[in-house]
Amino acid sequence: MRIKSLEEYHLEKENFEEKPENFWEEKAKKFVWYRKWDEVLNWDFKSANVEWFKGGKLNITENCLDRHLKNNGDRIAIKWIANNPNEKNIELSYKELHLQVCKFSNVLKSKGINKGDRICLYMPMVPELAIAVLACARIGAIHSVVFAGFSAKSLSDRINDATCKALITSDGGFRGDKITPLKSIADEALRSTPSIEFCIVLERTKSTIDMKDNRDFWWQDEMKNVNINCTPEEMNSEDKLFILYTSGSTGKPKGIVHTTAGYMIYTQYSFENVFQYQENDLYWCTADIGWITGHSYIIYGPLLAGATTVMFEGVPTYPDAGRFWKIVEENKINIFYTAPTAIRALEAKGNEYVRKYNLSSLKVLGTVGEPINEDAWNWYYNEIGNKKCPIVDTWWQTETGGIMISNLAGINKEKATFATLPLPGIKACIVDDKGAELEQNNIEGKLCVKYPWPSMARTIYGDHQRYFNTYFSAFPGKYFSGDGCFKNEEGLFRITGRVDDVIIVSGHNLGTAEIESAIDEHQNVCESAIVGYPHNIKGNGLFAFIICHQKPKKDDEINLEINNLITKHVGPIAKVDSFLYVDGLPKTRSGKIMRRILRKIASGITEDLGDTSTLLDPAVVEKIITEVKNNK
Ligand code: WT7
């Protein structure tokens, strides 16, 4: 299945161009199906409806687990590395993982979970999280993983949006020298989640917690006397596999829905090809399973490929900034996939942490989540890869399910800061503001995809209209990513960042609307506007322009209070880095905040702010600039 040379790469592109459905059908044949599909693809971007492999029946866990048992049952499926360097690692073979998944599937079934029920997972990075994800998939329950850094409010919002029937959590989670009190946060969330019937709690940190009779059950107890056999549920190709929430430009987070067959085919295909995975490679993706990267490239992609996937519980800087490299050396990691924010943070700590370790096992390096700047790219290439490892700069999104634009490691050309080219099978294009496709090189515009791909999101849970509006209405007939893109003279793609009101901070997607509404909860705040500005480590920092009823004094506690409100409503991942208290915000006559101007001011630009003629009151801008100068 893997593309092994540049010739094969071009051939694959040609095959796809000639017969796109045939191209994907060939890939689909490699999997175990209970019933073959009747139709490869059915699509209409005008109504945002896409179906792949209709009529087919399958189960993704049959393909992740059972399929490998006969020949590779003893191969390690998950190699888990604890937060505490002195705690023993855990290795789960495919056989053992299969067993655990079957057992937990039966636990869920015995508690009344049926196909189609939604289950929320709020867990630390422990093997049981992967086990729970796969158990849901095995019985046809739809998993909704909520990143363990989100607040009680964010958790309950997500549970309620999907009307989840059960919550799987743990007493707490280890992260560096801290413990996240997951169960007590969950308890707070569960006060306002009427759909939850029960909660299963994994013991991890042995923290003191409350267990509510008849609602809360210990994972370890439930797993004791349970049947070890579980036949996978026969799923239709288009049955929902999972929901994963992501921030939008406006309104509450969107429950992105992925379905079974297409997601399966594309995650294995992209995993094997982008990373050039070869049998017995040890692969480590440092993401959290709470994000799409963890779903597709810690769990599904690698397991579908029969690989050993490393799962790390901790953080890059604990016990010190050499932790990643120590893990690479000790485990002889071959393929390493991380985010620019981690690369920049570790670079800033100095090379002595890197040079202490032998990184010669590395063959391929990957990056994802935000644009990687040239300096970070060079450091990654020179210091981590020792100038011998190709870097795959992988552009994709929660909505795309898998990697869309990237070089294939060592196969086609790489270039610092460029994601390079769409994978064979992906028709990405750049359009101007009116939606006209810009086919020539050396242009900049908005990044779209004009033909369906198997792992694309199918809808937003409970709101198909919003799915259409968000992705298919700006440029009719095309999927719009929300990103800007430059194509150089060779036709290589470089992602320039979001063109909407989503800000990516340390690789996390933050919606301005969510943060602003948290800020507006403060009793002294009338209105606020959040924008991003360039930040050395985080990629973007958050800059808040705030109008107060009573203008705060310099030494006021208000900054802290506002950040606490954001932690409460969104989670500790979002924090305002710079505050400016202003008298007015630049608004258009239709009342929309002109963020373009605020973005410039936030990044230190006070002249040539562009066209301000549509502002209701252009004088507001002058006042803000004066405030910035006074604040220095
Ligand atoms: C947004 C999607 C996909 C997994 C992690 C993020 C940005 C992602 C790159 C890259 C430049 C990138 C885009 C995209 N992004 N990868 N290689 N180069 N930008 O998933 O949270 O859904 O965020 O991340 O802006 O739209 P996500």
Side-chain angles (χ1 to χ4, degrees):
M1 192 148 166
R2 187 163 60 88
I3 298 166
K4 297 193 188 68
S5 64
L6 194 57
E7 294 74 57
E8 282 179 25
Y9 175 79
H10 289 304
L11 201 66
E12 279 283 90
K13 288 216 160 175
E14 278 166 34
N15 288 343
F16 173 70
E17 290 301 326
E18 272 166 31
K19 290 185 176 168
E21 294 190 13
N22 220 40
F23 176 91
W24 291 116
E25 187 158 34
E26 285 307 311
K27 313 268 177 274
K29 284 180 187 160
K30 310 273 153 76
F31 294 88
V32 177
W33 294 82
Y34 305 136
R35 184 186 186 278
K36 209 189 149 191
W37 53 92
D38 301 316
E39 196 180 5
V40 176
L41 172 64
N42 197 343
W43 66 292
D44 176 16
F45 277 3
K46 297 218 163 58
S47 60
N49 285 304
V50 173
E51 293 170 318
W52 283 93
F53 302 100
K54 222 179 152 194
K57 285 194 187 290
L58 74 161
N59 187 290
I60 196 168
T61 71
E62 173 93 46
N63 286 288
C64 285
L65 303 171
D66 307 53
R67 182 166 59 130
H68 306 308
L69 294 185
K70 193 158 152 262
N71 297 324
N72 290 312
D74 293 322
R75 180 179 291 168
I76 305 305
I78 296 178
K79 179 160 193 177
W80 176 80
I81 296 165
N83 175 64
N84 179 342
N86 300 319
E87 190 178 332
K88 228 175 136 261
N89 299 339
I90 294 175
E91 293 187 337
L92 285 177
S93 68
Y94 273 90
K95 249 188 226 158
E96 285 157 339
L97 180 60
H98 177 263
L99 173 70
Q100 298 298 323
V101 169
C102 287
K103 285 173 70 179
F104 197 64
S105 299
N106 287 329
V107 168
L108 293 175
K109 276 190 181 174
S110 72
K111 297 223 162 322
I113 296 299
N114 295 309
K115 178 177 170 182
D117 289 341
R118 276 82 53 216
I119 301 193
C120 180
L121 278 53
Y122 184 64
M123 294 180 78
M125 281 288 284
V126 289
E128 288 81 358
L129 171 53
I131 292 166
V133 161
L134 293 164
C136 289
R138 194 161 184 91
I139 64 171
I142 301 163
H143 55 79
S144 167
V145 182
V146 175
F147 173 61
F150 277 119
S151 66
K153 172 81 169 47
S154 297
L155 176 60
S156 63
D157 284 350
R158 284 160 176 74
I159 289 173
N160 290 332
D161 185 73
T163 54
C164 293
K165 224 167 146 177
L167 174 69
I168 322 292
T169 186
S170 82
D171 51 355
F174 293 115
R175 269 178 77 77
D177 55 10
K178 294 193 192 73
I179 290 183
T180 317
L182 296 176
K183 178 59 163 66
S184 37
I185 299 171
D187 283 338
E188 197 186 323
L190 292 185
R191 274 189 237 140
S192 55
T193 54
S195 60
I196 293 286
E197 292 173 9
F198 65 92
C199 175
I200 295 181
V201 186
L202 177 83
E203 184 178 61
R204 173 67 189 126
T205 54
K206 300 201 160 59
S207 314
T208 323
I209 56 164
D210 292 326
M211 291 291 278
K212 194 170 160 186
D213 280 350
N214 297 322
R215 186 195 72 185
D216 300 346
F217 305 90
W218 288 105
W219 173 294
Q220 279 90 345
D221 291 344
E222 295 298 316
M223 288 287 265
K224 265 182 203 143
N225 298 312
V226 64
N227 192 328
I228 59 169
N229 299 309
C230 174
T231 312
E233 186 76 29
E234 289 202 1
M235 305 298 285
N236 294 315
S237 292
E238 282 299 338
D239 277 338
K240 292 182 179 65
L241 176 63
F242 66 85
I243 304 170
L244 185 59
Y245 286 84
T246 186
S247 300
S249 322
T250 52
K252 54 181 188 147
K254 302 170 286 204
I256 299 298
V257 173
H258 284 285
T259 59
T260 306
Y263 178 82
M264 174 183 79
I265 292 161
Y266 196 80
T267 49
Q268 173 166 359
Y269 163 75
S270 50
F271 171 74
E272 290 183 350
N273 283 299
V274 170
F275 300 106
Q276 288 291 299
Y277 169 76
Q278 296 178 42
E279 204 161 335
N280 296 320
D281 278 345
L282 191 60
Y283 162 85
W284 178 24
C285 165
T286 69
D288 193 288
I289 290 172
W291 312 113
I292 190 70
T293 310
H295 282 59
S296 302
Y297 299 111
I298 295 178
I299 300 184
Y300 288 113
L303 294 180
L304 286 162
T308 301
T309 176
V310 172
M311 188 176 166
F312 174 47
E313 181 182 35
V315 295
T317 49
Y318 178 80
D320 63 40
R323 188 68 195 278
F324 273 7
W325 322 126
K326 183 174 156 70
I327 294 175
V328 169
E329 174 183 289
E330 284 177 355
N331 298 279
K332 301 199 171 57
I333 303 285
N334 306 118
I335 305 174
F336 178 73
Y337 190 27
T338 195
T341 186
I343 298 169
R344 288 190 297 260
L346 295 177
E347 179 187 1
K349 300 279 179 180
N351 287 341
E352 59 273 24
Y353 288 104
V354 181
R355 296 193 177 150
K356 267 192 2 211
Y357 300 100
N358 177 354
L359 306 182
S360 62
S361 60
L362 290 171
K363 297 198 299 189
V364 173
L365 302 175
T367 154
V368 60
E370 60 190 302
I372 182 165
N373 47 308
E374 189 145 11
D375 178 63
W377 195 98
N378 286 331
W379 185 78
Y380 200 28
Y381 187 79
N382 296 328
E383 293 298 325
I384 305 306
N386 195 20
K387 302 188 172 74
K388 69 175 177 60
C389 301
I391 295 181
V392 289
D393 180 352
T394 64
W395 175 84
W396 59 296
Q397 309 179 294
T398 305
E399 296 86 341
T400 69
I403 296 167
M404 301 290 281
I405 304 183
S406 172
N407 49 312
L408 311 190
I411 301 284
N412 60 322
K413 184 176 168 152
E414 69 185 11
K415 185 172 167 65
T417 77
F418 282 76
T420 72
L421 291 174
L423 263 56
I426 300 301
K427 283 193 194 177
C429 63
I430 298 177
V431 303
D432 67 14
D433 286 343
K434 295 197 179 74
E437 194 176 332
L438 302 167
E439 290 184 69
Q440 67 276 34
N441 289 341
N442 232 329
I443 44 101
E444 188 162 348
K446 292 176 175 169
L447 182 59
C448 291
V449 188
K450 58 181 178 179
Y451 188 81
W453 64 100
S455 65
M456 64 187 291
R458 300 295 192 266
T459 193
I460 289 174
Y461 193 78
D463 197 348
H464 194 72
Q465 187 61 43
R466 187 175 180 202
Y467 177 67
F468 172 82
N469 293 347
T470 310
Y471 306 105
F472 296 91
S473 69
F475 307 114
K478 294 188 181 71
Y479 167 87
F480 174 45
S481 65
D483 282 315
C485 187
F486 165 69
K487 197 165 26 147
N488 77 356
E489 62 290 344
E490 300 166 277
L492 301 180
F493 290 67
R494 174 201 209 153
I495 314 301
T496 53
R498 302 291 310 189
V499 294
D500 57 10
D501 295 337
V502 172
I503 309 171
I504 303 191
V505 178
S506 301
H508 300 313
N509 264 11
L510 301 174
T512 46
E514 272 173 280
I515 300 170
E516 286 161 6
S517 71
I519 297 178
D520 297 348
E521 292 279 306
H522 193 281
Q523 55 183 20
N524 192 15
V525 171
C526 313
E527 201 182 353
S528 62
I530 285 280
V531 293
Y533 68 98
H535 186 284
N536 283 344
I537 305 284
K538 301 182 190 180
N540 287 299
L542 293 183
F543 198 115
F545 295 85
I546 301 173
I547 308 175
C548 284
H549 297 287
Q550 232 136 41
K551 208 155 191 188
K553 308 227 163 45
K554 266 238 144 75
D555 50 1
D556 227 324
E557 296 279 288
I558 185 164
N559 294 0
L560 187 68
E561 290 160 9
I562 286 178
N563 268 334
N564 286 340
L565 278 168
I566 300 174
T567 303
K568 183 166 158 236
H569 287 271
V570 182
I573 53 175
K575 282 218 165 42
V576 172
D577 303 278
S578 299
F579 293 85
L580 190 70
Y581 296 93
V582 295
D583 297 318
L585 291 168
K587 288 194 180 167
T588 62
R589 283 180 205 116
S590 59
K592 202 168 182 283
I593 295 172
M594 223 189 241
R595 286 174 204 276
R596 169 170 66 77
I597 292 174
L598 295 180
R599 273 196 282 268
K600 284 202 171 158
I601 297 174
S603 55
I605 301 167
T606 49
E607 275 156 40
D608 296 330
L609 294 172
D611 182 14
T612 53
S613 61
T614 57
L615 284 178
L616 185 64
D617 175 14
V620 167
V621 179
E622 292 311 314
K623 279 197 198 152
I624 295 179
I625 291 170
T626 314
E627 290 286 354
V628 175
K629 290 183 178 155
N630 290 344
N631 218 36
K632 283 224 170 104

